[in-house]
């Protein structure tokens, strides 16, 4: 197709880790340069959902790290240091996804942010103030649908903000 793709994934390497401030600044510079040069077509984002998961605390699984409403959406206060760090990184990457989406939105470029769909009584990326503010902008659309339905024994609701 003749295009190029910028890939960033914290699991791949430090060079792709958007949680690393220097790398994030480089990414934003690169994105703005590509926008200025008319070489960026859009963006697809999927910030980590592990700290927002509504299944945490179920079936002897890992404990919940966030609440569904109020300030607890940004993490419970009484977490041990290792879990506080998980929440910090999860929140940081959620905010950076919103920041990048806002840059694309303001440049008139398409984007989509994917994350698990909200569940009653559970935390959600889509319930953060910053996500709700982006969602309220003119032309924004939020869609929910099933993902992983091919032979899956359960429904995995997924949300897309675009």
């Amino acid at each position: 197709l003749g295009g190029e793709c910028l890939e960033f994934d914290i699991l791949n390497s430090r060079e792709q880790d958007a949680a690393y401030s220097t790398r994030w600044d480089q990414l934003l510079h690169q994105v703005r340069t590509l926008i200025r040069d008319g070489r960026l077509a859009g963006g697809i984002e999927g910030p980590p959902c592990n700290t927002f998961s509504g299944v945490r605390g179920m079936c002897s699984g890992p404990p919940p790290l966030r609440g569904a409403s109020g300030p607890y959406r940004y993490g419970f206060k009484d977490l041990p240091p290792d879990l506080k760090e998980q929440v910090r990184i999860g929140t940081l990457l959620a905010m950076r996804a919103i920041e990048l989406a806002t840059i694309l939105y303001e440049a008139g470029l398409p984007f989509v942010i994917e994350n698990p769909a909200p569940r009653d009584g559970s935390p959600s990326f889509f319930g953060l103030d910053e996500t709700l503010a982006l969602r309220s902008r003119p032309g924004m659309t939020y869609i929910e649908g099933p993902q992983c339905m091919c032979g899956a024994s359960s429904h995995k609701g997924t949300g897309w903000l675009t």
Side-chain angles (χ1 to χ4, degrees):
L1 295 172
E4 63 182 89
C5 177
L6 304 177
E7 180 183 0
F8 294 87
D9 190 322
I10 62 172
L11 299 178
N12 286 347
S13 68
R14 185 146 177 115
E15 289 78 34
Q16 291 188 6
D17 189 350
Y20 181 53
S21 292
T22 300
R23 188 62 190 119
W24 178 247
D25 292 342
Q26 292 168 348
L27 166 66
L28 291 182
H29 176 74
Q30 193 173 11
V31 165
R32 287 184 174 111
T33 298
L34 290 169
I35 290 171
R36 183 196 68 220
D37 295 346
R39 295 182 49 225
L40 189 65
I44 300 171
E45 303 179 65
C49 60
N50 60 327
T51 66
F52 292 97
S53 177
V55 298
R56 291 186 75 98
M58 294 181 157
C59 301
S60 302
L65 303 177
R66 302 173 184 271
S69 61
Y72 298 116
R73 293 171 297 159
Y74 297 89
F76 293 127
K77 303 276 185 237
D78 59 347
L79 296 171
D82 61 322
L83 296 180
K84 269 191 193 287
E85 180 62 6
Q86 285 182 30
V87 170
R88 185 189 75 76
I89 294 294
T91 303
L92 173 68
L93 292 172
M95 295 304 105
R96 289 185 172 174
I98 295 296
E99 181 180 3
L100 180 57
T102 301
I103 290 168
L104 295 171
Y105 175 88
E106 290 174 351
L109 294 172
F111 68 89
V112 62
I113 303 175
E114 178 271 337
N115 229 254
R119 297 167 54 161
D120 288 341
S122 295
S124 173
F125 165 82
F126 294 111
L128 296 176
D129 292 339
E130 295 81 1
T131 309
L132 294 169
L134 178 61
R135 184 176 171 177
S136 72
R137 294 180 94 166
M140 293 301 303
T141 301
Y142 174 75
I143 303 163
E144 283 186 18
Q147 187 176 9
C148 303
M149 287 302 292
C150 298
S153 60
S154 62
H155 171 89
K156 179 186 177 208
T158 300
W160 295 274
L161 181 61
T162 185

